[in-house]
Amino acid sequence: WMLTNLIPFFKDMVSIIGALCGSPIMIGLPPLFYYYALKERGRTMGKVDLVVCSFLFFLLFPFTFGAGMASAFDSLIQNWKKNGPPFTCKK
């Protein structure tokens, strides 16, 4: 009850959850897993792999995470302005 009244628009709730989880799972974690898998085997990362992993983790991941969260919250704010804030009854 609390969650549905706090974020009364299901689409916006799904967008926020997707922004919180999608970017880390698809872009942030694979470079870390690759790094730690190589480290566990005692191998070092090649220069090309290091550049690609650094680009993904330090540039693309924060950008997509921030843009996704900003877009999700912007949509939520627009819906609040149009339909009213949470915990209000509007006829």
Side-chain angles (χ1 to χ4, degrees):
W1 178 83
M2 182 64 88
L3 184 61
T4 57
N5 281 309
L6 187 61
I7 303 176
F9 311 108
F10 184 74
K11 180 186 83 144
D12 294 329
M13 184 179 68
V14 170
S15 295
I16 291 170
I17 292 170
L20 282 172
C21 299
S23 182
I25 290 171
M26 292 184 286
I27 299 172
L29 292 178
L32 286 178
F33 291 158
Y34 181 65
Y35 171 76
Y36 284 115
L38 288 178
K39 186 177 177 183
E40 188 174 299
R41 291 182 178 180
R43 296 172 54 192
T44 58
M45 193 180 292
K47 288 185 181 189
V48 173
D49 291 340
L50 183 62
V51 168
V52 170
C53 288
S54 297
F55 172 75
L56 288 173
F57 190 76
F58 294 112
L59 294 175
L60 193 60
F61 165 58
F63 174 75
T64 57
F65 183 80
M69 289 300 291
S71 174
F73 279 106
D74 182 56
S75 175
L76 180 65
I77 290 168
Q78 294 302 321
N79 282 332
W80 278 359
K81 287 179 182 177
K82 187 171 110 178
N83 299 310
F87 302 107
T88 59
C89 295
K90 199 171 185 184
K91 291 185 181 184

